[in-house]
Amino acid sequence: MVIARSLSRARRGARSDAALPLCLRRAVMAGAVMAGAIWPTAASAQFYGQLLESEIPLKTVTGRNLGVRDRVKPELEQIGLPMGSFHVYPSVLAGVGYTSNVVGAEVSSRADGYGEIKPEVIVRSDWARHALTATVSYDGQRYFNTKAKNQNGFLAKADGTIDIHDQSSIFGSASYRRTYEDQQEATFPANGGGAIAVRQPQALLRATYVSNRVRWTASADYNGFTYGDTISTTGARLDLSFRNRDVYRGSARVEYLLGQDNSVFAQGTYRRTDYRTTSAIDDRTSDEWRVGVGAIADVTNLMRIAGGIGYYHRTYDNKTVFHSVGGLAVDLRADYYLTQLTTITAIVSRQLEEAAVTGSSGYVATRYGARVDHELLRNLIPYLFADRFTSKFKGVDRDDRSWDAGGGVDYKLNRAWMVTVSGTYVSRVSHGTDRGPNINEFRGSVALKFTP
């Protein structure tokens, strides 16, 4: 699922960089792949992607190899509604879903179903130079029997690019959203019985300068996280305000082209995390430095590989409770084009996440995953995926191991209508004296999307 989001971002980015010379475009995008990939991100949420995405985004399209989901199909693309020098792209998705373990219980699990509605409006400029995009969406879920799991997610976002000269530019974005934390995440309360809402304001400014074969990028951003209260499995109120925090980041990256399809990069990032809590045992306010190098190459006409390795070191203001944490950050990705109709993607990552367990300074999350997309028909794409996760907590005795596997079908009836069917089985086993619940859950959904 993370891979799918990355592919979607890559496709959009490919159109905006179309004016670059071929060799330079490959270098620019290739370096961006690993620069965005090796930096750890927060635990994923159910809607709108990750809670804390890379400040320098992931791009994987080099212009030589195109995956099944990268190729543009004009006859199936939404045309949009003209509005002066802008185009408006409205859509609405409606569906039903099922979960075999609605509250993530270790024993006596209970199944439930839900209905979902997601209207969205995107307004995008049609200017020859510069760009401006605004997005507003709502994502509501209503469970049939478990009202505490009902969700009201929303997103309001604006972003724009100012073209300075050649391929140098300034990009800025601002957004506010309410998303929900996945109950399979290691940060979800062990006795949580309701949905956990996360309100997140965000602002980012990024400048890019291109000279010959070198591309410089500098970025600064802010993300705030405010967690709503929820209820326990027994109906008691759970106050999660101790997790509220503000994150400030600054990053610089340089990329260099070694050959037509080979590039290398180096990047450094500073991160300040300020927790808004008066409890010393929950105050994980910290400073963190990250440095890393990486490379990407189209090895053959059938394979693109990317690799990055970095080192992080985090120190906490409250040194009596939380010890410094340092370690290796790794992100590897390979795209194999079995045929023009089949793309196989594999990833390996290792990253540091924020902990929510008393006494733990954080946990190291390691992931191995693979996905297959196949274009059965031009408008019909089935897919399969599988992932293996481990979460090793620092400072407490807890070690989580989980895996998921599933698949689905995206069927585009025409420009206006698309049917999606998906199913996932997730299993988590937690070990140690501070362990969380062992969870097994099947999730499935069927949805119809209308894009006039």
Side-chain angles (χ1 to χ4, degrees):
M1 291 172 285
V2 172
I3 297 173
R5 289 195 298 269
S6 299
L7 290 173
S8 177
R9 287 197 300 271
R11 180 180 174 185
R12 183 177 174 184
R15 291 195 292 266
S16 63
D17 290 340
L20 277 165
L22 180 59
C23 63
L24 183 57
R25 183 166 71 251
R26 287 172 176 166
V28 167
M29 287 185 164
V33 171
M34 296 319 301
I38 70 167
W39 309 116
T41 53
S44 62
Q46 288 182 315
F47 306 120
Y48 310 129
Q50 296 165 327
L51 286 177
L52 190 61
E53 296 183 347
S54 173
E55 67 276 23
I56 301 179
L58 174 68
K59 294 182 180 179
T60 58
V61 178
T62 63
R64 177 178 177 180
N65 292 321
L66 289 176
V68 168
R69 294 184 180 274
D70 297 330
R71 291 194 293 272
V72 178
K73 300 171 183 177
E75 75 279 11
L76 297 175
E77 293 288 323
Q78 183 181 11
I79 298 176
L81 308 173
M83 187 180 68
S85 59
F86 292 84
H87 260 75
V88 181
Y89 301 89
S91 67
V92 60
L93 178 146
V96 293
Y98 167 85
T99 171
S100 64
N101 193 348
V102 66
V103 297
E106 183 171 356
V107 295
S108 302
S109 59
R110 177 166 50 86
D112 202 354
Y114 63 88
E116 180 179 18
I117 184 73
K118 183 180 179 179
E120 181 178 68
V121 176
I122 300 175
V123 181
R124 186 173 297 130
S125 65
D126 293 331
W127 307 331
R129 295 185 72 246
H130 315 308
L132 181 63
T133 302
T135 303
V136 178
S137 65
Y138 167 80
D139 197 333
Q141 287 190 358
R142 293 296 180 270
Y143 282 78
F144 301 153
N145 300 307
T146 314
K147 304 306 179 185
K149 280 290 186 177
N150 289 348
Q151 301 179 2
N152 292 289
F154 63 82
L155 170 68
K157 181 178 180 179
D159 59 66
T161 301
I162 298 176
D163 298 320
I164 305 302
H165 66 85
D166 295 330
Q167 300 305 317
S168 301
S169 62
I170 297 175
F171 173 82
S173 72
S175 66
Y176 188 83
R177 67 173 179 172
R178 180 166 61 205
T179 186
Y180 289 83
E181 191 169 47
D182 194 322
Q183 67 183 20
Q184 291 284 353
E185 297 294 344
T187 51
F188 201 88
N191 61 337
I196 297 179
V198 186
R199 299 194 305 275
Q200 180 186 2
Q202 176 267 349
L204 178 144
L205 186 64
R206 183 171 62 242
T208 301
Y209 177 73
V210 179
S211 176
N212 297 323
R213 292 189 173 188
V214 180
R215 176 182 173 113
W216 300 86
T217 304
S219 176
D221 71 317
Y222 160 79
N223 285 267
F225 301 92
T226 302
Y227 290 77
D229 295 342
T230 188
I231 63 170
S232 71
T233 52
T234 61
R237 175 177 169 271
L238 293 179
D239 182 359
L240 302 180
S241 60
F242 69 93
R243 299 179 61 186
N244 297 347
R245 61 190 183 273
D246 298 298
V247 180
Y248 307 87
R249 297 182 298 180
S251 186
R253 185 185 71 200
V254 59
E255 305 161 38
Y256 184 74
L257 174 67
L258 296 176
Q260 186 178 25
D261 295 305
N262 301 276
S263 67
V264 295
F265 77 89
Q267 181 172 324
T269 298
Y270 168 73
R271 167 174 165 168
R272 173 69 178 180
T273 303
D274 288 324
Y275 273 77
R276 294 178 253 129
T277 178
T278 57
S279 171
I281 62 173
D282 293 318
D283 189 358
R284 296 178 177 83
T285 297
S286 64
D287 295 282
E288 181 179 323
W289 286 96
R290 300 178 183 275
V291 293
V293 295
I296 185 173
D298 282 323
V299 180
T300 69
N301 288 331
L302 299 178
M303 180 177 289
R304 179 170 68 246
I305 62 173
I309 185 170
Y311 181 81
Y312 63 84
H313 187 265
R314 181 182 295 181
T315 57
Y316 296 86
D317 287 5
N318 189 350
K319 295 179 173 57
T320 59
V321 178
F322 304 110
H323 299 293
S324 298
V325 180
L328 198 64
V330 178
D331 205 304
L332 303 174
R333 172 171 175 151
D335 293 304
Y336 179 59
Y337 308 96
L338 183 63
T339 69
Q340 289 187 346
L341 301 180
T342 304
T343 304
I344 302 173
T345 303
I347 63 170
V348 178
S349 67
R350 184 180 190 271
Q351 55 193 29
L352 179 66
E353 304 280 14
E354 294 286 333
V357 178
T358 301
S360 176
S361 55
Y363 66 95
V364 177
T366 304
R367 177 190 177 199
Y368 312 88
R371 176 178 173 124
V372 180
D373 290 278
H374 178 69
E375 190 176 300
L376 189 62
L377 299 173
R378 190 164 175 82
N379 61 337
L380 179 63
I381 301 179
Y383 60 90
L384 296 171
F385 63 86
D387 298 277
R388 172 69 172 172
F389 303 88
T390 62
S391 302
K392 181 64 176 178
F393 284 75
K394 300 291 185 179
V396 298
D397 182 20
R398 178 173 172 178
D399 185 6
D400 291 0
R401 300 175 185 179
S402 63
W403 62 272
D404 67 27
V409 176
D410 294 335
Y411 181 37
K412 190 82 172 180
L413 302 175
N414 48 47
R415 289 184 191 273
W417 296 97
M418 182 173 73
V419 177
T420 64
V421 180
S422 65
T424 305
Y425 182 79
V426 186
S427 177
R428 187 183 80 182
V429 178
S430 186
H431 302 276
T433 57
D434 297 295
R435 76 176 186 89
N438 299 330
I439 303 175
N440 294 290
E441 180 186 7
F442 171 78
R443 306 172 185 174
S445 67
V446 178
L448 180 65
K449 186 175 183 180
F450 175 57
T451 54

